Amino acid sequence: MTRPASSRAIDDKGPLRVLLFSASLRADSLNTRLAQLARSVLVAAGAKVDWATMNAFDGPSYNQDVETEQGFPPGPLDLHRRLEACDAFVIATPEYNASMPGHLKNTIDWVSRIRPQPFNARHGLLLAASPSMAGGNRGLWSLRIPLEHLGARVFPDMFSLAQAHKAFGDGGGIADGQLAARFEENLRAFLDLVEAATHYPCIKKAWVEFLGEPGATVGRVEAA
Ligand SMILES: Cc1cc2nc3c(=O)[nH]c(=O)nc-3n(C[C@H](O)[C@H](O)[C@H](O)COP(=O)(O)O)c2cc1C
């Protein structure tokens, strides 16, 4: 099956469409605050933002019997639909036990089963906020693995906000001016790359689960 990396028509030069979500389920989430900040930077830079939190995408533990007998749950189906409608995605995620939260990996597992596989060739930026000094950075490295496995173009620079419980000022922004500027720069650099890839596509690659596997035996191949 052939499909473009983005669902937009080749001559559609409208604003970049970015799906932005916080992967925390918590009402008073630090990651939701960071994602809200990202939203204002993206909108100021001219992007059209589709905003969500993990509550919209969460689902039951992946079970292949359930998939076979009942199909896909609403949360993962919604994430799939909204990924397909965007040019790029941004995730702000908590770090749990030096990795990503189980509910996020579970949702990625569900979505990876839905076709077309929506992470393939889609650009992604990863953000984290944590009270720790490492700012949730290890969680972001673990999140890169399934996303890159699925063909996502994960932006090299990842922003992890350390001591996040003390990092936000009264107006909701990052209080430290240097950090705030770095955050904005990170998001704008990501948008520049997405714009180039969306409006001036020059390379398209197929997603092949294991690149070294002989073609005839591979079931999971999608041209991009
Ligand atoms: C089960 C669990 C494991 C955690 N493990 C880590 C960890 O490995 N590293 C870290 O920086 N924070 C860890 N934390 C603390 C979270 O960073 C903190 O609760 C944070 O506020 C969660 O993000 P949220 O505010 O967006 O929900 C953990 C919290 C929980 C509940």
Side-chain angles (χ1 to χ4, degrees):
M1 180 180 51
T2 303
R3 73 175 183 90
S6 147
S7 55
R8 86 168 53 230
I10 200 83
D11 57 350
D12 175 1
K13 296 284 192 284
L16 295 173
R17 302 161 310 182
V18 180
L19 172 63
L20 165 68
F21 69 94
S22 163
S24 176
L25 293 164
R26 205 164 75 86
D28 195 26
S29 159
L30 295 167
N31 283 280
T32 301
R33 286 167 78 176
L34 188 64
Q36 277 163 344
L37 211 50
R39 181 193 203 171
S40 56
V41 175
L42 293 168
V43 169
K48 193 174 163 205
V49 175
D50 179 14
W51 161 263
T53 70
M54 199 63 211
N55 297 283
F57 304 140
D58 198 24
S61 289
Y62 178 79
N63 180 332
Q64 198 167 354
D65 293 338
V66 172
E67 181 193 332
T68 306
E69 289 156 23
Q70 298 168 30
F72 298 104
L77 271 176
D78 192 33
L79 176 55
H80 178 270
R81 179 184 60 78
R82 290 163 78 169
L83 278 168
E84 280 292 301
C86 74
D87 300 304
F89 62 90
V90 178
I91 306 175
T93 181
E95 175 180 280
Y96 285 176
N97 297 308
S99 186
M100 81 190 87
H103 56 254
L104 177 56
K105 176 63 163 52
N106 183 56
T107 293
I108 292 171
D109 290 342
W110 272 114
V111 171
S112 73
R113 304 284 295 173
I114 308 173
R115 296 294 180 267
Q117 193 274 90
F119 292 105
N120 181 31
R122 211 153 247 119
H123 287 258
L125 173 67
L126 308 184
L127 315 173
S130 157
S132 84
M133 286 304 284
N137 190 256
R138 294 166 302 182
L140 298 186
W141 281 106
S142 76
L143 178 54
R144 289 190 84 93
I145 294 173
L147 294 178
E148 292 197 357
H149 168 79
L150 292 167
R153 314 290 193 242
V154 183
F155 197 61
D157 297 323
M158 307 183 289
F159 188 91
S160 30
L161 185 64
Q163 298 205 292
H165 58 305
K166 297 195 274 192
F168 296 101
D170 290 339
I174 297 173
D176 181 295
Q178 201 177 21
L179 266 189
R182 204 184 290 163
F183 179 67
E184 190 169 330
E185 224 169 83
N186 200 167
L187 283 156
R188 286 181 177 268
F190 172 67
L191 273 188
D192 285 346
L193 179 65
V194 175
E195 183 181 9
T198 303
H199 295 317
Y200 313 101
C202 56
I203 182 167
K204 300 270 172 94
K205 284 185 183 165
W207 173 62
V208 181
E209 188 166 27
F210 298 106
L211 282 171
E213 213 177 346
T217 64
V218 178
R220 279 166 291 194
V221 177
E222 281 185 27

